[in-house]
């Protein structure tokens, strides 16, 4: 069996989280009244959230909208006190709306203050079945969110989670400071297809040793910033993964056809198997008829060959696993149990899998796939001469020869005519996500201009439209230097030598940015503190602020104000020192 693993660091899909203060009321929740030692708060704010959901390729059976349905939303708020983050509030989301297949919105009433927020979708039953206690640690609360499911998954919605750390809800907060939200499904999906229909007729599929328990939220201490699972998270409930030996059986009543099945097999994360006890591994047993003979059974492990040895693979959340039966050369075992306890025979299959996080646009020829982070880039008139902004494409292919830029045309389709646009990378290897920076000259004309970038990978082809506006871009972002995510609050303790690194990026680069510092104090007068009323130039500025040891609580405010003489935008960063 061949194995192809695609690990992607797809450019993140941005989404908006806007705060509007529509009502003011006493802040109480779950028999607990909240006060904040820094902001004088006794009021609530109405918060509107926009969620971006993982992409799923359109296939038969369930539609993508079925997979992306949001039936209920629950928000868990956690507050930091004395270096310990504890659970302080649970709130239901309201007015759930669908803007598109991949974008949903809802609103919630939240108390003002600073919180870590965990957003749970389609998980009300999990929350109701978990013993969550106010004042318990964030780690304990999230570990308690375990789903137990013995049987096939129903259509009540796939449980998902997302998070916003250090979210400041304040009546003076600029909504642009809010972090984006990206949702992650807790389940893996398995599809089966057959290319050997001339010799083999598929009848049913059995999933053996599947995990009946799954952790809704993974271990955040080991969770990567790109939201792509690297290993399964073992549930904290008794029995851990709690493997079920009796198989789940999928047949014609579930949507299995002689050619395969699509979007009917969902399962919790499961650990990788081992060669020591093959019958205990999570695996598939395929039932079908070889050249009209009686139904027999074939075992397919979640494994492949690397460096001439068998490698067993875990089932990971939000990953897509595709089993393609390439050739059947004879009958299988007479019973499913015999197939489970025996080596695989007479069936060759191609095993493909990849993460669906950040996979926005995919073309698929039945064997290989080509994915691109977006099918359309819209840029302001400013010149884009470096990477790291809104001018990045991410490309990924499983074709063995990799991918390449076939051509760049103007709006009329003439190759080479769009001289104002160039790319820094023109090809990439198979199975590796590659970033392509779109470099454009300044658009000095009075109208927008468009070019098309054609990407080819084997027989697969994808076209990306690039439009550069005649209007200059205007905006400012304050982001953490290591994660690249927007940041509005950094916490320091009383210890010296703590370093927080962030950067300020704005457009147009010629615009003026002024830094205003409120209550600088002594705690943050270490290396890198900007001066009050200082001016920034060039479109980019990096800071590394090192704290001093000052044994008193303090809150310093940095306001980065961008103006071009007509428009003004402010981004605020709080530096807080707490015991």
């Amino acid at each position: 069996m061949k194995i192809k693993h695609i690990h992607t660091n797809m450019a993140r899909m941005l989404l908006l989280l806007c705060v509007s203060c529509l009502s003011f009321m006493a802040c109480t929740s779950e028999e607990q009244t909240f006060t904040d030692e820094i902001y004088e708060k006794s009021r609530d704010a109405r918060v509107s959230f926009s969620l971006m959901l993982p992409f799923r390729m359109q296939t038969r059976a369930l539609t993508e909208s079925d997979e992306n349905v949001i039936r209920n939303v629950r928000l868990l708020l956690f507050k930091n006190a004395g270096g310990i983050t504890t659970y302080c509030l649970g709130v239901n989301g309201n007015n759930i709306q669908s803007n598109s297949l991949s974008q949903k919105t809802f609103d919630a009433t939240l108390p003002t203050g600073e919180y870590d927020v965990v957003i749970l979708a389609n998980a009300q039953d999990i929350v109701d079945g978990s013993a969550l206690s106010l004042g318990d640690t964030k780690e304990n609360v999230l570990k308690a969110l375990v789903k137990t499911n013995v049987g096939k998954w129903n259509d009540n919605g796939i449980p998902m989670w997302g998070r916003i750390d250090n979210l400041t809800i304040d009546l003076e907060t600029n909504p642009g400071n809010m972090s984006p939200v990206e949702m992650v499904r807790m389940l893996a999906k398995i599809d089966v297809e057959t290319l050997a229909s001339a010799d083999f007729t598929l009848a049913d599929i059995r999933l053996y040793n599947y995990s009946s328990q799954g952790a809704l939220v993974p271990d955040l201490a080991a969770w990567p910033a790109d939201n792509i699972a690297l290993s399964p998270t073992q549930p904290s409930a008794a029995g851990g993964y709690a493997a079920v030996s009796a198989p789940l059986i999928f047949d014609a009543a579930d949507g299995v056809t002689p050619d395969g099945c699509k979007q009917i097999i969902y399962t919790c994360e499961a650990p990788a198997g081992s060669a020591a006890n093959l019958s205990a591994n999570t695996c598939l047993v395929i039932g079908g008829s070889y050249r009209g003979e009686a139904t027999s059974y074939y075992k397919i492990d979640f494994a492949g060959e690397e460096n001439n040895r068998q490698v067993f693979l875990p089932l990971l959340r939000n990953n897509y696993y595709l089993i393609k039966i390439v050739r059947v050369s004879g009958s299988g075992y007479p019973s499913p149990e015999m197939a489970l306890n025996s080596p695989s025979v007479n069936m060759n299959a191609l095993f493909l899998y990849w993460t669906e996080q950040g996979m926005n646009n995919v073309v698929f020829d039945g064997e290989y796939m080509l994915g691109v982070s977006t099918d359309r880039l819209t840029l302001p008139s400013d010149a884009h001469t470096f990477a790291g902004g809104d001018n990045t494409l991410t490309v990924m292919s499983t074709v063995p020869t990799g991918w390449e830029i076939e051509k760049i045309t103007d709006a009329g389709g003439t190759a080479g005519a769009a001289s104002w646009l160039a790319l820094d990378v023109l090809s990439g290897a198979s199975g590796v996500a590659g970033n392509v920076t779109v470099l454009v000259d300044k658009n000095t004309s009075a109208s927008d201009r468009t070019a098309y970038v054609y990407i080819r990978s084997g027989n697969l082809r994808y076209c990306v439209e690039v439009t550069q506006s005649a209007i200059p871009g205007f905006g400012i972002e304050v982001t953490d230097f290591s994660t690249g995510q927007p940041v509005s609050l950094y916490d320091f303790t009383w210890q010296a030598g703590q370093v927080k690194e962030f950067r300020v990026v704005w457009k147009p680069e010629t615009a003026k940015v002024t830094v205003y510092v409120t209550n600088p104090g002594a705690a943050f007068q270490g290396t890198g503190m900007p001066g009050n009323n200082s001016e920034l130039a060039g479109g980019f500025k990096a800071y590394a602020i090192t704290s001093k040891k000052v044994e008193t609580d303090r809150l310093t405010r940095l306001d980065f104000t961008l103006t071009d003489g007509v428009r003004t935008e402010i981004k605020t960063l709080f530096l807080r020192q707490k015991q």
Side-chain angles (χ1 to χ4, degrees):
M1 184 184 297
K2 299 179 181 178
I3 176 174
K4 292 185 181 294
H5 178 202
I6 299 90
H7 179 82
T8 178
N9 288 316
M10 280 293 180
R12 292 180 175 276
M13 294 173 287
L14 295 181
L15 43 105
L16 302 176
L17 184 158
C18 301
V19 177
S20 57
C21 304
L22 303 180
S23 60
F24 306 98
M25 58 194 76
C27 177
T28 60
S29 60
E30 299 186 1
E31 302 180 356
Q32 191 170 21
T33 301
F34 289 84
T35 60
D36 189 283
E37 70 276 16
I38 295 177
Y39 302 107
E40 296 179 358
K41 300 296 180 231
S42 59
R43 295 168 289 184
D44 288 355
R46 192 75 157 181
V47 185
S48 179
F49 295 85
S50 180
L51 305 179
M52 192 63 71
L53 309 185
F55 177 80
R56 293 274 191 182
M57 290 188 299
Q58 283 281 27
T59 49
R60 59 179 183 265
L62 287 177
T63 64
E64 186 179 5
S65 57
D66 291 322
E67 289 194 333
N68 278 357
V69 67
I70 299 291
R71 302 194 186 281
N72 56 74
V73 174
R74 182 75 171 173
L75 293 86
L76 306 183
L77 273 63
F78 301 87
K79 198 168 184 65
N80 186 286
I84 300 175
T85 303
T86 56
Y87 175 46
C88 64
L89 177 63
V91 176
N92 287 329
N94 302 305
N95 303 318
I96 302 170
Q97 302 291 328
S98 178
N99 293 350
S100 67
L101 290 178
S102 60
Q103 189 176 31
K104 315 293 178 181
T105 61
F106 71 93
D107 58 63
T109 300
L110 302 178
T112 51
E114 296 82 34
Y115 307 97
D116 286 355
V117 180
V118 174
I119 301 174
L120 309 176
N122 302 323
Q124 191 63 53
D125 61 326
I126 303 176
V127 175
D128 293 342
S130 304
L132 306 185
S133 300
L134 293 175
D136 202 357
T137 65
K138 180 179 180 181
E139 180 182 10
N140 287 343
V141 168
L142 297 184
K143 281 185 176 180
L145 297 171
V146 174
K147 173 71 173 180
T148 299
N149 189 78
V150 179
K152 301 171 186 177
W153 281 83
N154 56 36
D155 61 354
N156 289 330
I158 297 176
M160 312 179 201
W161 72 278
R163 63 172 173 173
I164 313 170
D165 291 337
N166 300 322
L167 173 62
T168 300
I169 302 297
D170 182 80
L171 299 181
E172 299 178 358
T173 297
N174 186 324
N177 285 333
M178 299 301 173
S179 299
V181 180
E182 188 177 6
M183 302 301 286
V184 181
R185 297 185 182 92
M186 69 169 287
L187 301 181
K189 183 180 72 172
I190 304 166
D191 281 352
V192 177
E193 293 182 357
T194 176
L195 302 178
S197 56
D199 297 317
F200 179 74
T201 301
L202 179 64
D204 54 49
I205 302 166
R206 286 166 169 77
L207 176 64
Y208 276 94
N209 302 316
Y210 67 94
S211 296
S212 65
Q213 296 183 153
L216 175 57
V217 182
D219 179 7
L220 296 185
W223 185 250
D226 59 10
N227 281 335
I228 297 174
L230 300 178
S231 60
T233 297
Q234 179 168 321
S236 61
Y241 295 108
V244 179
S245 57
L248 294 178
I249 304 174
F250 301 87
D251 54 25
D254 301 297
V256 174
T257 72
D259 298 324
C261 71
K262 291 286 189 178
Q263 293 182 248
I264 62 173
I265 304 177
Y266 300 90
T267 186
C268 294
E269 292 185 301
S274 71
N277 188 1
L278 293 176
S279 62
N281 294 340
T282 306
C283 66
L284 298 181
V285 170
I286 308 294
S289 172
Y290 173 70
R291 295 185 176 180
E293 296 179 355
T295 299
S296 59
Y297 300 90
Y298 307 78
K299 181 181 181 181
I300 294 181
D301 286 302
F302 293 104
E305 291 184 2
E306 289 184 354
N307 300 323
N308 296 319
R309 65 185 182 91
Q310 188 178 42
V311 178
F312 290 91
L313 301 169
L315 295 180
L316 302 178
R317 67 184 61 221
N318 213 60
N319 271 27
Y320 174 54
Y321 298 84
L322 175 59
I323 309 296
K324 297 189 71 67
I325 301 170
V326 177
R327 186 169 64 92
V328 179
S329 56
S331 295
Y333 294 98
S335 71
E337 294 73 25
M338 188 175 294
L340 173 67
N341 294 290
S342 305
S344 301
V345 295
N346 295 335
M347 179 175 282
N348 292 338
L350 179 66
F351 180 27
L352 299 142
Y353 73 106
W354 58 82
T355 179
E356 294 187 315
Q357 201 69 25
M359 183 72 67
N360 298 342
N361 301 272
V362 175
V363 288
F364 191 63
D365 67 359
E367 183 175 7
Y368 301 112
M369 57 82 69
L370 170 64
V372 183
S373 57
T374 183
D375 62 352
R376 184 177 291 106
L377 281 180
T378 302
L379 304 174
S381 65
D382 311 271
H384 289 65
T385 58
F386 57 88
D390 54 359
N391 60 328
T392 300
L393 292 172
T394 304
V395 183
M396 181 179 67
S397 172
T398 64
V399 176
T401 56
W403 59 269
E404 64 179 358
I405 303 299
E406 180 184 17
K407 62 181 178 179
I408 301 173
T409 74
D410 64 4
T414 303
S419 59
W420 51 274
L421 183 149
L423 307 174
D424 68 339
V425 175
L426 300 179
S427 63
S430 175
V432 179
N435 287 333
V436 179
T437 303
V438 179
L439 307 171
V440 297
D441 299 331
K442 184 176 181 179
N443 186 3
T444 58
S445 69
S447 60
D448 298 351
R449 56 188 180 184
T450 298
Y452 296 94
V453 176
Y454 290 85
I455 304 168
R456 181 177 289 280
S457 182
N459 295 322
L460 299 172
R461 197 180 193 211
Y462 207 95
C463 178
V464 177
E465 180 183 281
V466 180
T467 298
Q468 188 180 24
S469 171
I471 302 172
F474 186 86
I476 183 170
E477 290 289 343
V478 179
T479 60
D480 182 81
F481 203 88
S482 60
T483 67
Q485 297 301 301
V487 62
S488 58
L489 171 68
Y490 279 127
D491 274 324
F492 296 78
T493 65
W494 286 356
Q495 298 177 356
Q498 298 172 83
V499 180
K500 304 293 185 182
E501 295 182 284
F502 64 94
R503 56 189 170 192
V504 184
V505 181
W506 65 93
K507 293 178 181 178
E509 298 176 3
T510 55
K512 173 184 176 181
V513 172
T514 304
V515 187
Y516 298 98
V517 183
T518 303
N519 191 29
F524 310 114
Q525 291 302 300
T527 302
M529 186 71 177
N532 185 35
N533 207 31
S534 57
E535 293 187 0
L536 308 180
F540 176 89
K541 176 67 176 178
Y543 290 96
I545 294 181
T546 305
S547 65
K548 290 186 176 180
K549 184 177 182 180
V550 179
E551 295 185 355
T552 181
D553 289 356
R554 183 175 300 279
L555 183 72
T556 295
R557 177 172 178 157
L558 306 179
D559 289 308
F560 297 90
T561 303
L562 170 70
T563 181
D564 61 359
V566 178
R567 296 166 291 182
T568 299
E569 183 173 331
I570 301 173
K571 288 294 171 70
T572 300
L573 175 63
F574 291 99
L575 308 176
R576 182 170 62 180
Q577 185 190 51
K578 297 183 68 176
Q579 185 176 10

